[in-house]
């Protein structure tokens, strides 16, 4: 997984009926775009350091899901 600042991180609900979580990547810890990422979550605007799991994907603004 590789991302850039401004990309969206989408985490699907782990269980049926759970909502997906969407955040904007606001900082990278590695210049090659690999995790972890600092993400600002859209639902409540808090920022967290995220190591995405298999239920997550990155959406690049220009190209869509990756």
């Amino acid at each position: 997984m590789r991302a850039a600042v401004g990309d969206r991180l989408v985490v699907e609900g782990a269980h049926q009926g759970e909502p997906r979580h969407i955040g904007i990547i606001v900082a990278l810890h590695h210049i090659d775009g690999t995790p972890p990422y600092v993400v600002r979550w859209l639902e409540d605007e808090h920022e967290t350091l995220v190591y995405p799991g298999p239920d997550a994907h990155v959406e690049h603004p220009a190209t869509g899901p990756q």
Side-chain angles (χ1 to χ4, degrees), residues 10 18 26 37 47 61 65:
V10 179
E18 282 187 343
V26 297
Y37 309 123
E47 292 183 6

Side-chain angles (χ1 to χ4, degrees), residues 5-43:
V5 171
D7 288 350
R8 287 181 172 220
L9 181 67
V10 179
V11 181
E12 302 296 339
H15 303 285
Q16 186 172 351
E18 282 187 343
R20 65 174 34 182
H21 298 284
I22 301 172
I24 304 297
I25 296 172
V26 297
L28 303 175
H29 281 256
H30 302 286
I31 60 172
D32 66 355
T34 57
Y37 309 123
V38 177
V39 176
R40 179 179 305 124
W41 298 104
L42 298 180
E43 61 257 16

